[in-house]
Amino acid sequence: MQEKILILDFGAADTQLLGRRIRELDVYCEIVAYNKFPKNDASIKGVILSGSPLSVADPQAFTSDISNFYGKYPVLAIEYGANLLAKEKGAIVVPSTHDDMSTILLEENNNALFNGLTGSIKTTLNVTDKIQELPTSLTPLAEYKGVPVAYQDAENKVWGICFDPIAPEFSESNQILKNFLVDICGCKQTWSPESFIEHTIAELKEELGNDKVVLALSGGVDSSVTAVLLNKAIGKNLICVFVNHGLLRKNEFSNVLIDYENLNLNVIGVDASEKFYTDLAGVVDPEEKRKIIGRNFIEVFDEEAHKIENVKWLAQGTIYPDVIESLSITGKVIKSHHNVGGLPEKMNLKLCEPLRLLFKDEVRKVGHALGMEDHLISRHPFPGPGLGVRILGDITPEKVQILQEADHIFIQGLRDWGLYDKVWQAGVILLPVQAVGVSNDERTYERAVALRAVNSVDAMTATWTKLPYEFLEQVSNDIINKVEGINRVTFDISSKPPATIEWE
């Protein structure tokens, strides 16, 4: 049985990052909504309560039935979680006036949570609430200006800290987390890509048996790793379908099919580009383009899948951020589950999502452990609608070809200059404008493009990548000189927020 730490999410913006930090310490964890504590789960080794944007005094404050875990598991409550637990045990909690950065004084003869730390630590305190007075059942462990900012209930193995242990400026974060996970909860730190593969393949064999599974491949990391993992478990009972909607990168359809064949995957390639071009003709609204591309993909995939007899499962490359972002923690869904659109509802198949509990970096590690080629694992994310959201205005085969050529020069340039792996995502956008230029001593009036390169962890935020001027100059010259129809190149220096990564 895979031991795990359970994180109760009260809506903190960095709950995903907390989960990733725990996984980086080779301890498996899962994130659930604050009010969804699983019953009778023998694999739980400890519980963490997250922060929240709310105050515990808010009439709509999130609360949890602490009898589910208090005194039953070791507990680490963070910021809002610490204030909530303290209040539930009788503490006086009032609005906070803490400074952003604080020096916390640790009590002498501290215990296991602060093992390895001495004297004081500098970090950012919770700025929403503060504990004015603790009940006698809770012992103060640290203070700031006479106010308790960490406490414990030794008898019940409960700790509360009124600061964020994974704040970027807090250098002791791993020490505190490791103390809780290993010394207090007794986690063995056996979580690894290899252990995940072994455990998951065994589960898939048992769950799927001799059933047939169909998977929509996109050429991206998530669906590719999903395919290889399933292939290890059920072999030729996995049938993959790779649909070319005509909006892929240059030569991507043929190149990806070759890659998949080299992985011994059972793949059906479908070139449906003409159907997509026909239905997209004259459409300029971005959302309408997305809907047409999504609807057509479902229709094409469904038609191919129905040619296969006795399929019982639909596999998807869903990963953990997709699952977490679909949870309505605060009452507002960040984004709805989007993998393969509405296929599960339309096809009436059982759903198989072997990567649904992995973060993106973990998916890549699993891919490497499965022996996949680096160029498949390290690929930049690419939008489902492909170049359809990088051609502003209407889509035509001519525009697609122009953009494919420009995009190929940019991406190949990043590889040639050793910059590809230093960028999280990159691409070229074809703008709906024309500009005056000069070529062969003649006036031209041709298209303009924008280069886009960003760095990110999870696509929720992104910063524009500072590429060398010499590189940008070379790429600009190559695109203008080699791609007929383009005479101007710009570079997008917008970050997210307020801009989005894609232009549509």
Side-chain angles (χ1 to χ4, degrees), residues 232-247:
K232 295 272 187 186
I234 62 173
K236 293 302 180 181
N237 277 342
L238 170 68
I239 302 96
C240 304
V241 178
F242 182 35
V243 177
N244 178 18
H245 48 32
L247 303 168

Side-chain angles (χ1 to χ4, degrees), residues 431-437 444-448 485 487-488:
L431 304 178
V433 296
Q434 289 179 281
V436 173
T444 62
Y445 190 57
E446 295 177 331
R447 302 184 186 281
N487 70 356
R488 193 170 297 266

Side-chain angles (χ1 to χ4, degrees), residues 50-302:
S50 82
S52 173
L54 301 177
S55 162
V56 295
D58 193 308
Q60 296 179 326
F62 302 139
T63 59
S64 187
D65 183 357
I66 68 172
S67 67
N68 286 323
F69 51 82
Y70 203 103
K72 298 178 180 178
Y73 308 95
V75 175
L76 175 61
I78 297 170
E79 295 187 300
Y80 177 92
N83 293 327
L84 177 66
L85 273 194
K87 184 182 178 186
E88 290 280 335
K89 302 304 287 186
I92 299 174
V93 181
V94 298
S96 174
T97 56
H98 287 314
D99 301 327
D100 284 345
M101 179 64 80
S102 309
T103 299
I104 300 170
L105 300 178
L106 302 177
E107 299 287 341
E108 293 184 7
N109 302 317
N110 254 303
N111 59 43
L113 186 66
F114 294 138
N115 186 34
L117 307 178
T118 57
S120 64
I121 54 177
K122 293 192 71 173
T123 188
T124 303
L125 288 170
N126 181 280
V127 295
T128 304
D129 297 316
K130 69 177 180 182
I131 300 170
Q132 189 173 65
E133 184 179 334
L134 285 170
T136 56
S137 61
L138 301 178
T139 304
L141 297 178
E143 66 172 36
Y144 174 68
K145 294 183 178 180
V147 175
V149 293
Y151 63 79
Q152 78 167 133
D153 177 347
E155 181 181 352
N156 290 299
K157 292 188 176 182
V158 173
W159 286 262
I161 54 175
C162 300
F163 55 89
D164 186 356
I166 59 168
E169 73 281 357
F170 186 49
S171 59
E172 293 88 350
S173 59
N174 273 8
Q175 184 66 53
I176 290 177
L177 285 178
K178 187 176 180 181
N179 287 343
F180 178 71
L181 300 171
V182 179
D183 298 339
I184 294 171
C185 297
C187 295
K188 296 183 178 65
Q189 293 182 283
T190 56
W191 170 250
S192 67
E194 290 77 13
S195 67
F196 170 82
I197 292 169
E198 181 181 358
H199 178 73
T200 303
I201 288 177
E203 279 192 340
L204 289 171
K205 285 181 176 179
E206 182 177 350
E207 182 178 31
L208 302 177
N210 292 318
D211 292 350
K212 286 186 178 179
V213 180
V214 64
L215 166 66
L217 285 172
S218 67
V221 177
D222 302 334
S223 67
S224 298
V225 173
T226 299
V228 174
L229 197 60
L230 278 165
N231 189 49
K232 295 272 187 186
I234 62 173
K236 293 302 180 181
N237 277 342
L238 170 68
I239 302 96
C240 304
V241 178
F242 182 35
V243 177
N244 178 18
H245 48 32
L247 303 168
L248 300 171
R249 284 180 155 144
K250 182 179 179 180
N251 299 327
E252 187 169 21
F253 184 57
S254 57
N255 289 342
V256 170
L257 281 177
I258 292 171
D259 283 333
Y260 287 149
E261 288 172 7
N262 291 337
L263 289 169
N264 295 316
L265 297 179
N266 185 10
V267 183
I268 300 170
V270 183
D271 187 354
S273 53
E274 289 303 319
K275 171 180 173 60
F276 282 82
Y277 290 155
T278 299
D279 291 351
L280 287 167
V283 179
V284 298
D285 179 72
E287 191 60 28
E288 185 61 24
K289 286 194 289 186
R290 283 180 175 272
K291 288 179 180 177
I292 290 171
I293 295 168
R295 182 177 65 245
N296 281 4
F297 179 88
I298 291 173
E299 289 176 0
V300 172
F301 181 84
D302 186 47

